[in-house]
């Protein structure tokens, strides 16, 4: 029996806002501390509005990093689906890409597609973002923010 597709885009996880909270944050998937770079990725990903997408490359360009490093951080995102909606990140050719360590097709990709469909984002038969929607749904205006210190 096939498992039901997970289209949840409303569960909100607690997100550390201060430097001290981030210093002590442990990833619920890995049991390891969340790194400063991972928080930088998550902070930017959290800026992608519902009904829009961005790419690993747009995020990596904003951080002067690599797309692969961004993908590795999102692969273990402990704050999904909200406030860090990593399902809204596609590859640079606007292909559905990967999700939770899976690439191309499979149950996890079906979940990503379902989450995006629930938010109004649609794909063509090759799993690329629909051409007629690209100009209005691709988000690139990331703002790299400084984390508040505990004294602020």
């Amino acid at each position: 029996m096939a498992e039901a597709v997970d289209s949840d885009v409303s569960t909100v996880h607690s997100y550390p806002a201060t430097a001290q909270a981030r210093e002590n944050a442990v990833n619920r998937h890995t049991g390891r501390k969340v790194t400063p770079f991972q928080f930088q990725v998550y902070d930017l990903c959290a800026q992608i509005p519902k009904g829009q997408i961005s790419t690993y490359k747009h995020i990596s360009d904003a951080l002067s990093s690599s797309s692969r490093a961004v993908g590795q951080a999102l692969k273990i995102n402990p704050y999904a689906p909200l406030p860090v909606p990593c399902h809204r990140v596609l590859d640079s050719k606007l292909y559905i890409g990967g999700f939770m360590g899976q690439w191309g097709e499979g149950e996890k990709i079906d979940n990503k597609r379902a989450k995006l469909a629930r938010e109004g984002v649609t794909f063509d038969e090759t799993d690329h973002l629909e051409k007629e929607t690209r100009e209005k749904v691709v988000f690139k205006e990331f703002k790299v923010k400084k984390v508040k210190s505990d004294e602020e």
Side-chain angles (χ1 to χ4, degrees):
M1 182 171 120
E3 289 192 35
V5 173
D6 176 10
S7 64
D8 174 27
V9 290
S10 59
T11 300
V12 179
H13 295 279
S14 178
Y15 192 69
T18 66
Q20 182 177 6
R22 288 178 178 219
E23 177 84 19
N24 299 318
V26 175
N27 186 310
R28 63 189 169 89
H29 299 304
T30 66
R32 294 182 176 156
K33 284 193 171 197
V34 179
T35 69
F37 175 76
Q38 289 167 339
F39 273 119
Q40 288 179 312
V41 171
Y42 302 154
D43 288 343
L44 295 190
C45 187
Q47 296 174 33
I48 306 168
K50 180 179 178 180
Q52 291 188 282
I53 60 87
S54 195
T55 69
Y56 300 100
K57 178 150 179 44
H58 292 318
I59 294 172
S60 67
D61 286 351
L63 295 174
S64 299
S65 183
S66 75
S67 299
R68 187 166 297 214
V70 168
Q72 290 301 308
L74 293 177
K75 175 180 171 180
I76 57 171
N77 172 16
Y79 307 106
L82 293 175
V84 182
C86 56
H87 63 277
R88 297 179 187 156
V89 182
L90 308 181
D91 85 355
S92 61
K93 294 180 182 163
L94 303 178
Y95 176 68
I96 196 160
F99 192 56
M100 298 175 66
Q102 188 174 67
W103 188 264
E105 57 184 75
E107 180 183 331
K108 293 175 183 175
I109 302 303
D110 292 343
N111 292 344
K112 180 176 184 175
R113 189 181 300 102
K115 290 173 189 301
L116 289 166
R118 190 161 188 185
E119 295 181 337
V121 177
T122 56
F123 294 87
D124 65 19
E125 64 281 349
T126 66
D127 276 337
H128 287 81
L129 189 65
E130 290 278 357
K131 284 185 180 174
E132 52 276 354
T133 66
R134 290 180 182 179
E135 283 193 33
K136 56 185 173 179
V137 301
V138 177
F139 180 83
K140 304 176 195 171
E141 297 79 35
F142 291 107
K143 294 180 179 40
V144 179
K145 300 175 186 176
K146 181 183 167 217
V147 178
K148 291 184 264 179
S149 72
D150 293 320
E151 289 81 43
E152 291 180 48

